[in-house]
């Protein structure tokens, strides 16, 4: 059965998973000429130079990224995405402090795709980092590459979540998988969703990772199978032994430098690699970014995050931080979407939607309101939303 014919089925089943059609799809070579903003194609993965991308026309670059993530390799690497080592190192220190606190508190974090304890994990690191060190948080999330690619894939109002993952020497590879949402369901549960939902799920999330140390291939940076995101029955295929065996044979892996970032379509077949080094504590900040229209994997108390970070925004604005810097931090921290709400108590004032939390933070910053005023406004707005 051809891929096009599969696309028209209302529901997908195991019988649609056919390794030969999968191979036809993925055994292609990305051509650098199709991606004029890219620096190189390495092992079928597109490499971008962060500085060069930021200097180019925003919409042109974003259109190219959408193409790369949809019909192209499905994975893009930005060299030097976080060019300031101090910013990355301060965030690393915050993550390490959070890990130490977890150990001290005796809380061990479980993992979906690896044995508990093999890795160190910080779940909801977005909220934890913002409350732990708001200034380090703001400097990190002001990142323009992150904002560029999130906006390209998800549009405005995207919601960032972050999960820190440390794979210690000897830490084993994950099994191949796809990511949230359908990637977290059993085959049976995933098959209960119609095929158009299988096509929808990947456009509601963007998956990313920031390297917090140099990651030579021996340290086990993520394994990818470029072009596999386009395989429509893929959410039902990744557990099948013939697909797992094919992934083992055909995956690619690229070294990353500290401060590089990789973003991929959540439907891409991928898995973290084995850390074969004696001494590299492989730390990545995994970014799972959700469309305003989808719900994120984690509950984040964004009111607490906005309150923690706002004084930093006021200070940086006074010190001359530009509009885009401030906006990137707001986009990565506050709720950018005004729904769901209670339309009796929270009616739209100008237009069709009431102000979002991010709108309130923006307005407060524009007016130079003190933190306690914004705190009250956010609380009142939160209460108005409740049913
Ligand atoms: Fe994953």
């Amino acid at each position: 059965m051809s891929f096009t014919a599969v696309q028209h089925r209302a529901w997908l089943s195991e019988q649609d998973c056919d390794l030969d059609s999968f191979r036809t799809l993925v055994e292609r070579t990305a051509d650098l000429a199709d991606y004029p903003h890219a620096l190189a194609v390495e092992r079928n993965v597109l490499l971008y130079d962060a500085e060069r991308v930021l200097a180019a026309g925003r919409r042109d670059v974003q259109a190219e990224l959408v193409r790369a993530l949809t019909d192209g390799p499905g994975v893009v690497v930005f060299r030097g995405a976080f060019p300031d080592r101090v910013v990355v190192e301060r965030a690393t220190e915050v993550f390490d402090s959070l890990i130490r606190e977890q150990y001290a508190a005796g809380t061990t974090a479980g993992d979906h795709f690896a044995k508990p304890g093999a890795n160190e994990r910080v779940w909801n690191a977005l909220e934890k980092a913002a409350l732990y060190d708001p200034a380090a948080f703001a400097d990190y999330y002001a990142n323009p590459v992150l904002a560029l690619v999130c906006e390209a894939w998800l549009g405005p109002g995207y919601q960032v979540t972050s999960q820190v993952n440390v794979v210690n020497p000897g830490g084993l590879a994950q099994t191949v998988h796809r990511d949230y949402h359908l990637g977290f369901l059993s085959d049976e549960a995933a098959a209960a969703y119609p095929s158009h939902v299988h096509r929808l799920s990947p456009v509601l999330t963007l998956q990313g990772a920031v390297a917090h140390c140099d990651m030579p291939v021996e340290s086990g940076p993520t394994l990818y199978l470029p072009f596999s995101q386009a395989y429509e029955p893929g959410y039902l295929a990744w557990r099948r032994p013939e697909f797992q065996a094919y992934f083992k044979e055909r995956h690619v892996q690229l070294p990353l430098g500290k401060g590089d970032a990789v973003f991929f379509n959540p439907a891409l077949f991928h898995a973290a690699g084995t850390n074969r080094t004696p001494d590299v504590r492989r730390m990545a900040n995994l970014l799972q970014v959700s469309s305003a229209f989808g719900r994120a994997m984690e509950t984040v108390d964004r009111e607490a995050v906005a309150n923690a970070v706002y004084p930093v925004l006021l200070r940086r604005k006074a010190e001359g931080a530009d509009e885009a810097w401030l906006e990137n931090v707001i986009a990565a921290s506050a709720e950018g979407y005004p729904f769901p709400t209670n339309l009796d108590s929270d009616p739209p004032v100008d237009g069709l939607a009431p102000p979002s939390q991010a709108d309130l933070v923006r307005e407060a910053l524009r007016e130079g309101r003190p933190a306690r005023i914004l705190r009250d406004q956010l609380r009142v707005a939160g209460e108005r939303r409740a049913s």
Side-chain angles (χ1 to χ4, degrees):
M1 178 173 292
S2 76
F3 179 63
T4 321
V6 169
Q7 253 186 333
H8 289 97
R9 284 172 173 266
W11 276 274
L12 299 162
S13 78
E14 273 185 26
Q15 280 75 52
D16 296 314
C17 301
D18 171 44
L19 188 61
D20 285 338
S21 43
F22 185 64
R23 290 180 57 161
T24 309
L25 189 70
V26 303
E27 290 180 13
R28 280 188 286 166
T29 306
D31 183 354
L32 185 61
D34 294 334
Y35 303 95
H37 293 97
L39 194 63
V41 175
E42 217 174 297
R43 312 202 66 194
N44 249 354
V45 174
L46 288 167
L47 301 188
Y48 287 88
D49 175 70
E51 209 181 336
R52 197 169 123 183
V53 155
L54 292 170
R58 188 174 179 88
R59 275 297 189 234
D60 282 351
V61 170
Q62 288 182 322
E64 182 173 317
L65 293 173
V66 170
R67 227 162 14 87
L69 294 171
T70 308
D71 307 314
V75 49
V76 293
V77 169
F78 294 94
R79 297 284 185 215
F82 287 71
D84 186 342
R85 295 181 85 78
V86 176
V87 167
V88 177
E89 282 159 15
R90 277 176 70 208
T92 303
E93 281 167 30
V94 171
F95 299 155
D96 277 329
S97 302
L98 294 171
I99 289 168
R100 277 195 300 274
E101 282 188 358
Q102 282 184 178
Y103 275 122
T107 48
T108 48
D111 207 322
H112 328 284
F113 295 108
K115 286 200 193 105
N119 301 350
E120 288 156 5
R121 274 277 190 185
V122 183
W123 296 116
N124 194 4
L126 187 102
E127 184 175 327
K128 289 171 186 163
L131 301 192
Y132 192 90
D133 188 340
F137 173 96
D139 286 338
Y140 189 86
Y141 283 105
N143 189 279
V145 173
L146 175 63
L148 177 91
V149 64
C150 289
E151 188 192 78
W153 190 241
L154 303 165
Y158 57 83
Q159 294 297 285
V160 180
T161 71
S162 122
Q163 301 84 34
V164 174
N165 189 25
V166 179
V167 177
N168 291 309
L172 293 178
Q174 291 177 327
T175 48
V176 60
H177 61 277
R178 282 180 160 187
D179 274 338
Y180 191 73
H181 323 67
L182 282 172
F184 279 30
L185 301 182
S186 68
D187 288 349
E188 196 188 7
Y193 288 86
S195 67
H196 62 268
V197 177
H198 286 242
R199 297 192 293 277
L200 173 73
S201 177
V203 301
L204 293 176
T205 311
L206 178 64
Q207 198 68 37
V210 181
H212 276 251
C213 62
D214 287 333
M215 296 184 180
V217 165
E218 314 81 77
S219 73
T222 309
L223 322 171
Y224 310 106
L225 188 56
F227 296 102
S228 57
Q229 80 283 356
Y231 188 58
E232 196 186 16
Y235 288 107
L236 304 178
W238 62 260
R239 287 188 182 87
R240 298 176 68 83
E242 71 274 24
F243 283 82
Q244 297 229 339
Y246 183 77
F247 180 84
K248 268 196 182 148
E249 188 191 312
R250 298 282 307 198
H251 69 254
V252 301
Q253 198 177 16
L254 290 184
L256 293 177
K258 180 154 111 181
D260 289 351
V262 54
F263 291 91
F264 57 93
N265 183 316
L268 190 78
F269 282 46
H270 68 280
T274 298
N275 186 345
R276 297 177 206 283
T277 67
D279 54 357
V280 177
R281 236 180 118 240
R282 194 181 86 231
M283 179 189 276
N285 182 22
L286 308 183
L287 297 169
Q288 195 176 67
V289 189
S290 186
S291 156
F293 305 147
R295 290 295 92 191
M297 185 175 78
E298 293 195 293
T299 311
V300 177
D301 183 347
R302 295 195 185 273
E303 190 177 320
V305 172
N307 281 321
V309 172
Y310 181 67
V312 178
L313 295 176
L314 277 178
R315 197 166 69 237
R316 293 299 168 78
K317 188 184 170 197
E319 290 165 3
D322 65 32
E323 191 95 7
W325 193 100
L326 299 165
E327 183 51 42
N328 292 348
V329 178
I330 295 170
S333 51
E335 171 63 59
Y337 190 57
F339 300 108
T341 191
N342 179 333
L343 286 169
D344 284 325
S345 52
D346 190 31
V349 180
D350 315 307
L352 296 171
S356 68
Q357 205 177 62
D359 290 331
L360 292 177
V361 176
R362 258 179 225 122
E363 187 187 274
L365 194 58
R366 200 170 49 237
E367 305 290 325
R369 287 182 193 138
R372 66 185 158 74
I373 302 283
L374 177 66
R375 182 176 295 274
D376 291 345
Q377 287 184 315
L378 292 175
R379 190 74 298 273
V380 169
E383 280 161 13
R384 268 202 312 266
R385 279 177 205 292
S387 68

